[in-house]
Amino acid sequence: MEGTVFAPALEQLEHVKSEQGEILTKPFLDACKHILPVIDKFGTAMGLVKSDIGGNISRLETQYSSNPSRFNCLFSLVQAEVETNTTKASSSCTNGLLWLTRAMDFLVGLFQSLIEHEDWSLSQACTESYNNTLKKWHGWLASSSFGVVMKLVPDRKKFMEVLGGGGNLNADMEKFCATLSPLLEENHKTVKIR
């Protein structure tokens, strides 16, 4: 296998912005989809996270597919719901984009912790990222469940070897975080209407 597990997502991220600087729906969702195999490397520990991310991607893709020219830009999905006053519905694309963005914030934080703290266990890096991103949005039950899940994450060394493949893992993780973070910030500004 050539390259790290991040290579497909990095390739998609190169095409995520239009000439006008807008986030394009399909390349953004495809980049997020390419992170699902990375989540698989955690084993069963992150099964719920993968399911949640996959469900939100599917929700957004379904709406995009209903009218690809109208929904070519990611924020047009939100704008359509603003116009119909449906942004707060639990099944809205706005809600899907919000939770997809939050989950991606968690992953970016996790990968940054792995880069910055080579002495941390995978569980420590996950917990730090969770505390800084998702915890404030989760209730007691979800937070408690996360603590249990952290007991199931693999050993850091094995995990990093699996992610590395035939490429420079730290360079790819850094590039992924640096490229995705500004897109996530834009998403947060857009879905702040909630």
Side-chain angles (χ1 to χ4, degrees), residues 98 101-102 105 183-192:
L98 175 68
T101 300
R102 287 175 178 170
D105 284 337
L183 301 173
L184 298 177
E185 286 175 29
E186 280 186 57
N187 289 354
H188 281 298
K189 288 176 186 168
T190 299
V191 294
K192 204 169 201 162

Side-chain angles (χ1 to χ4, degrees), residues 2-4 6 10 163-175:
E2 275 306 308
T4 68
F6 290 93
L10 287 171
L163 292 185
N168 183 334
L169 179 59
N170 278 357
D172 278 3
M173 277 197 305
E174 282 181 35
K175 185 176 180 184

Side-chain angles (χ1 to χ4, degrees), residues 59-111:
R59 179 186 315 179
L60 295 163
E61 276 183 327
T62 298
Q63 187 64 18
Y64 165 79
S65 296
S66 73
N67 193 338
S69 60
R70 178 179 181 199
F71 298 122
N72 186 47
C73 294
L74 187 61
F75 302 142
S76 62
L77 296 166
V78 174
Q79 186 57 43
E81 291 178 345
V82 167
E83 292 167 6
T84 59
N85 200 25
T86 56
T87 59
K88 294 187 182 197
S90 63
S91 62
S92 72
C93 286
T94 304
N95 197 44
L97 180 58
L98 175 68
W99 281 101
L100 175 59
T101 300
R102 287 175 178 170
M104 290 306 199
D105 284 337
F106 164 73
L107 292 173
V108 166
L110 166 61
F111 300 140

